[in-house]
Every structure is written in structure tokens, then in C-alpha cells.
Amino acid sequence: AVVSTQSTGSKPLAICVSSVQEIPKCVDIGGSGAILPKLLPGGVTVVLPRSSTLNQALNPGFQTVGVRVPDHEFVARLCAAVGAPIALTSANISNGPNSTNIEEFKEIWDDLDLIVDGGQLPLSVGSTVVEITDSSFTIIRAGRDYEKTIQVLSDEHHLENRSESVSQ
């Protein structure tokens, strides 16, 4: 269902795990082990090389994967209960407006296996998406925790910022 409503084949899905300690099971963290706890949990999606143990049906043809650790207690507990990475997406049609309640994506309900109704949610900004290597980083999308991400990666860890012009 996620693939049919969100992924175009050119826009890979991210995954969500319950804690920073779960990240090495999904991706090769390289030298970013000390960085990850400073960015996560929170509003950052880190893009790292995928592990050979990650389900190959997720984003075939992509060598990297975005990983989030939620800062929302229910989602973190759901990830822990599942015990495996969960494909992560927003509750809307790809490139559509962000949903703040389940009625706003009613047209795709029939495509979904599960809907969790959290009531009316505040309008929020998407996560900052950042690809990290051992020596540099690239901001793919500026969002939540953007300034914190730049400060941690550039100022604290002295990684080279290879980002093109990114708007917030």
C-alpha cells in the first residue's frame, strides 16, 4: 500500500526504527556513530548506505536508505513492538499537502492495512533529510531541526557541507 500511494520509483521510502541503537542493523553507520545520538531521536532523517541485511524489496536499486528515530512516544513504542524497521511515509498522496487528521487522506483508506487515529494534529514541518559520509554531509531537504543538524555536523564534527542551495 505504501508503494502504491507514495513511491514513484524515483523517490525512495525511509524507514523508522525504535532507537539509535537499532540503526546499525539497517545501515552502515561508518564513522557517524558519535553523530547519530546528537541528531536522533527527532526531526532528522539520516541517509546512509543500506545494510545487506535490510529487506531487499525496500527501495530496490538504491544503495542508501533514510532512517528516522521518532521522538513521538507512540510511534517509538510501535517500532519497538514490531521489532523490525517500518517503512515510513507521510499520510498523504506523494507531493500533496501534509495531513493533520485522518479525514484528509480518506481517498487512500482502501489502500491501507492500518490507520491509527491520533486526533487532530498540529501542522508540522517535515524532517530535515541529510546524507552523511565519513567526511561530508548533504542536506537533501531542510525541515525540522535544520539549524541543529548544521551545527552538529559542521560546527561540532567538522564535516564538509556539500549542500546546494537549500530553502527552509
Side-chain angles (χ1 to χ4, degrees):
V2 173
V3 174
S4 67
T5 59
Q6 287 290 340
S7 179
T8 63
S10 63
K11 186 177 178 185
L13 296 171
I15 58 172
C16 183
V17 296
S18 63
S19 68
V20 172
Q21 293 75 21
E22 295 293 310
I23 294 174
K25 296 177 183 177
C26 309
V27 295
D28 176 7
I29 64 169
S32 63
I35 295 170
L36 298 177
K38 295 179 181 179
L39 297 175
L40 301 166
V44 178
T45 300
V46 295
V47 178
L48 294 164
R50 66 183 298 137
S51 165
S52 62
T53 60
L54 189 62
N55 186 330
Q56 294 301 310
L58 178 76
N59 304 330
F62 287 90
Q63 300 304 309
T64 58
V65 66
V67 182
R68 291 271 320 263
V69 178
D71 55 357
H72 188 282
E73 182 182 352
F74 173 79
V75 179
R77 290 176 59 199
L78 178 64
C79 289
V82 169
I86 298 174
L88 183 66
T89 184
S90 56
N92 63 354
I93 299 296
S94 189
N95 297 320
N98 290 340
S99 299
T100 59
N101 68 67
I102 66 170
E103 294 297 322
E104 292 177 359
F105 59 94
K106 192 172 189 171
E107 68 273 13
I108 64 172
W109 285 5
D110 290 342
D111 296 326
L112 305 177
D113 295 323
L114 173 69
I115 300 168
V116 178
D117 187 354
Q120 182 66 39
L121 303 174
L123 188 60
S124 66
V125 177
S127 66
T128 290
V129 180
V130 59
E131 185 165 6
I132 303 172
T133 70
D134 287 340
S135 61
S136 66
F137 69 95
T138 303
I139 300 290
I140 297 168
R141 180 183 75 195
R144 269 184 65 202
D145 296 338
Y146 172 76
E147 296 295 333
K148 172 183 162 184
T149 301
I150 297 294
Q151 191 265 326
V152 166
L153 297 176
S154 199
D155 299 344
E156 291 181 27
H157 289 274
H158 310 290
L159 298 183
E160 178 187 355
N161 185 346
R162 292 193 174 174
S163 307
E164 299 289 323
S165 177
V166 177
S167 61
Q168 271 190 283

